[in-house]
Amino acid sequence: YGIPKNVEIILEALEILNSRGGTVFNALFVGVGEDGKRELLEKANDLRIDKDLFKVISNVEHRMVPDLMTSCQYLVFPYPYVKGIEGSFPTKLLEYASVGCPIIASDTPISRQIFTEKEISFYKSLDPISLADTFSKISINPDLTNKKTFAARELASRFSYEARVRKIIDFLEISPS
């Protein structure tokens, strides 16, 4: 689509979280391209974020993405609301859910298309304080986070290729000839 992905909000939230003291948070950015990497490094410099607190991998082979995702404690879907793509399917969120990591997503129509608070944690789109607060809330409630992660993975399994093919086959088997 070429839509803004708003990944820099993660750096803003990282700065807020770490300025509060206590748990030290870090971030991993994957697949942002060379321009995205440069922009993130500039943003981190502007925010005075220690380079040891984040890593940026501009490009990565697709086969490595699941392993990188599962190496994370949380996955963030920061995409903002973009007029005109409200009906887009949240494929990226399904990918996140399928690896079994807790998800934090911007509260937009796309994020809410199939997901609810039962499966993932939402924050106010474009609001780094809301994102930081959401991180704080879920990091102190592992039982709820585990329940959401399990529910998200269950929901994602209903949208797997295998599940979709099974639905098509079932439909064809019961359809009149």
Side-chain angles (χ1 to χ4, degrees):
Y1 295 143
I3 64 169
K5 297 187 177 54
N6 198 36
V7 296
E8 63 279 350
I9 195 173
I10 298 169
L11 284 174
E12 294 170 19
L14 182 67
E15 190 276 326
I16 292 166
L17 286 163
N18 288 331
S19 71
R20 293 176 178 172
T23 302
V24 176
F25 290 86
N26 56 42
L28 171 64
F29 298 89
V30 177
V32 295
E34 290 302 323
D35 289 342
K37 180 176 183 176
R38 182 181 36 73
E39 291 168 10
L40 286 169
L41 292 172
E42 288 173 9
K43 180 74 171 183
N45 189 49
D46 292 346
L47 293 170
R48 295 190 170 112
I49 296 174
D50 187 327
K51 287 184 170 80
D52 292 336
L53 295 178
F54 71 98
K55 183 176 182 177
V56 182
I57 303 173
S58 54
N59 298 300
V60 65
E61 290 180 41
H62 183 72
R63 66 179 174 79
M64 296 180 70
V65 172
D67 289 338
L68 287 167
M69 289 168 58
T70 57
S71 74
C72 297
Q73 192 169 359
Y74 305 100
L75 297 172
V76 179
F77 183 80
Y79 292 30
Y81 170 74
V82 176
K83 188 164 178 55
I85 64 164
E86 296 89 348
S88 295
F89 194 73
T91 305
K92 183 66 64 186
L93 279 173
L94 286 171
E95 290 173 0
Y96 284 14
S98 71
V99 299
C101 290
I103 302 166
I104 302 171
S106 58
D107 195 354
T108 63
I110 289 175
S111 298
R112 293 264 188 191
Q113 192 173 31
I114 62 171
F115 289 97
T116 67
E117 288 283 348
K118 180 182 174 194
E119 298 91 17
I120 62 180
S121 299
F122 293 98
Y123 71 93
K124 184 178 175 186
S125 184
L126 301 174
D127 184 345
I129 295 171
S130 177
L131 175 55
D133 290 347
T134 303
F135 263 110
S136 295
K137 286 176 194 170
I138 68 171
S139 68
I140 61 171
N141 195 342
D143 290 337
L144 178 61
T145 302
N146 289 337
K147 286 177 186 174
K148 286 185 179 204
T149 302
F150 180 79
R153 199 168 199 176
E154 286 291 309
L155 180 62
S157 71
R158 296 194 335 235
F159 291 92
S160 71
Y161 288 113
E162 293 83 6
R164 290 166 51 198
V165 168
R166 174 57 33 214
K167 286 180 185 178
I168 292 168
I169 291 170
D170 290 348
F171 173 77
L172 293 173
E173 288 176 349
I174 61 170
S175 294
S177 301

